């Protein structure tokens, strides 16, 4: 059997991390079996359509390096891949179901439906459609503006559907509604369009959020009425925030593209999201994509909800940054460095070799690419202020100015090598009879404005003698106030 999996987002907003995590499962299964990963845009709710949403979805998949085999702008034998362009197909099936008496036209007004709903609610009954039009034999046609098409759900008996993770689930038909298949405007509902499309696109597996479980019996009935085989269903658990509520904007960014802006690497994001809800059966957490493709299996998807732990993402991102070859890290950080005004597209004025050396010192310390702004600016610009905590700790003592003057003089005269710088600092401390920290910390604060960072001797060496002594002089002036 050929494995064909579709990612079927609705273009109603920014691509949510939960939706993208489902797409990752789709993609992994497709790649594991050398199958097809298909993008289908479910744009049948015209009122919720958001301009630019499709581009953002495609942009998110591109960022995560998830190649699409069939979809909008790519083509394939099963298109079009926008549901809004497949109305004729849905209408054919609609007519078929109506003729077979498996569905019926209904002209109940929204006011009537509302009244029925309220009456049922008042009686503490389920507020569902009262099947008023079911036996009226109304004549309608798709998109006639007056009728919706409703499914004739059996009033007794049971329906069983199979979920790959949960097994068989059985529901009494009396629990189900005569749900709408086609709306007045001729657009299909999700239930109708997704069943037809999954069949027509020869989809083998459907991964979708577990919020769709309650609709699955309806889909099963629909498949039976159409005389077609359903695909395999995998309902994946939701992603929760740290407070165990469904992940939303409230928890920070829920839009995947914001993580790109925040300086996360796509490899790290992919790895992190895949592990929310799936595991390889070992404790391994950093799993290169190729290995994940090899190991991926539906059985290892968890049924319980996963938590989006940003601390873990930060850790993972740091690991990925550290394992990125320096050459490529330089290229990846260049756009950000340009945005900060440090270098242009050709690494001028500092030169690529200098940037390379800076990143050699910083690579270990970055959690997000954007951390570079706060932690490495002093390689490119003069510090404009000193860390207030550092001022209290490192710029204190009646002899602080003497210590800085002595360090400046020793550095001005020393040979500008790592050893030479270290000797200058240590001999200054010995001469003044103070611990090395009494020289190292003030010099670090003077030169970088910060209290932490890579080794001081490396920093000074890279920044150069003139900038080093100039910055110490400026700190002395500042201290003299
Ligand atoms: N368009 C549906 C949604 O965005 C897709 C659900 C499915 O994958 O079937 O929730």
């Amino acid at each position: 059997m050929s494995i064909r999996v579709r990612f079927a987002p609705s273009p109603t907003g920014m691509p949510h991390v939960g939706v993208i995590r489902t797409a990752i499962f789709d993609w992994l299964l497709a790649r594991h079996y050398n199958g097809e990963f298909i993008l289908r845009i479910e744009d049948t709710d015209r009122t919720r359509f958001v301009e630019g949403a499709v581009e953002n979805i495609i942009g998110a998949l591109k960022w995560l390096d998830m190649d699409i085999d069939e979809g909008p702008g790519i083509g394939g034998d099963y298109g079009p891949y926008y549901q809004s362009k497949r109305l004729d197909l849905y209408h054919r099936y609609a007519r078929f179901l109506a003729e077979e008496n498996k569905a019926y036209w209904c002209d109940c007004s929204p006011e009537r439906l509302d009244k029925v709903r309220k009456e049922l609610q008042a009686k503490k009954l389920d507020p569902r459609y009262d099947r008023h039009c079911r036996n009226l034999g109304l004549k309608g046609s798709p998109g006639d503006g007056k009728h919706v098409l409703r499914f004739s759900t059996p009033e007794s008996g049971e329906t069983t559907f199979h979920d790959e993770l949960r097994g068989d689930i059985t529901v009494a038909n009396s629990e189900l509604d005569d749900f709408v298949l086609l709306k007045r405007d001729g657009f299909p509902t999700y239930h109708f369009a997704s069943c037809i499309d999954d069949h027509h696109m020869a989809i083998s597996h459907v991964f979708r959020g577990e919020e769709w479980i309650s609709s699955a019996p309806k889909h099963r009935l629909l498949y039976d009425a159409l005389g077609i085989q359903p695909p395999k269903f995998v309902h994946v658990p939701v992603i929760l925030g740290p407070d165990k509520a469904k992940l939303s904007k409230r928890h920070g960014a829920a839009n995947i593209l914001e993580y790109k802006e925040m300086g996360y690497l796509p490899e790290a994001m992919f790895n992190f999201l895949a592990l929310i809800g799936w595991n390889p059966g070992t404790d391994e957490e950093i799993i290169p994509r190729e290995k994940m493709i090899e190991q991926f299996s539906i059985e290892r998807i968890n049924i319980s909800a996963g938590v989006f732990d940003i601390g873990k993402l930060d850790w993972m991102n740091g690991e990925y940054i550290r394992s990125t070859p320096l050459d490529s890290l330089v290229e990846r950080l260049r756009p950000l460095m340009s945005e900060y005004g440090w270098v242009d597209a050709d690494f001028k004025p500092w030169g690529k070799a200098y940037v390379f050396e800076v990143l050699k010192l910083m690579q270990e310390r970055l959690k997000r690419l954007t951390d570079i702004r706060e932690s490495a600016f002093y390689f490119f610009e003069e510090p404009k202020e000193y860390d207030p905590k550092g001022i209290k700790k490192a710029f204190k003592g009646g002899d602080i100015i003497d210590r800085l003057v002595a360090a400046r003089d020793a550095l001005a005269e020393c040979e500008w090598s790592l050893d030479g710088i270290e000797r200058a600092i240590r001999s200054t401390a010995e001469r003044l009879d103070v611990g090395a920290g009494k020289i190292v910390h003030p010099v670090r604060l003077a030169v970088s404005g910060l209290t932490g960072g890579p080794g001081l001797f490396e920093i000074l060496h890279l920044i150069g003698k003139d900038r080093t002594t100039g910055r110490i002089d400026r700190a002395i002036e500042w201290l003299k106030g």
Side-chain angles (χ1 to χ4, degrees), residues 6-12 19 22 26 40-44 48 83 190 194-195 198 206-209 211-212 219 233 235:
R6 90 299 192 276
F7 170 41
S10 304
T12 53
V19 165
T22 305
D26 286 325
R40 178 174 81 220
I41 302 298
E42 302 209 324
D43 57 344
T44 56
R48 293 179 62 218
Q83 288 188 326
Y190 163 74
S194 68
C195 289
D198 287 340
V206 168
F207 289 85
R208 61 183 179 190
E211 66 272 19
W212 292 112
H219 302 158
F233 284 103
H235 291 94

Side-chain angles (χ1 to χ4, degrees), residues 119-133:
E119 280 167 10
L120 287 168
Q121 269 166 344
K123 291 187 206 151
K124 304 235 178 311
L125 292 171
D126 250 2
R128 65 172 89 111
Y129 178 58
D130 63 356
R131 298 181 162 144
H132 176 260
C133 296

Side-chain angles (χ1 to χ4, degrees), residues 271 275 278-288 291-292 295 312 315-316:
N271 187 156
L275 290 190
W278 175 81
N279 69 79
T282 64
D283 290 343
E284 256 179 303
E285 298 211 277
I286 302 288
I287 311 177
K291 196 161 168 200
M292 214 179 266
Q295 295 180 331
K312 184 165 166 189
W315 165 78
M316 215 175 244

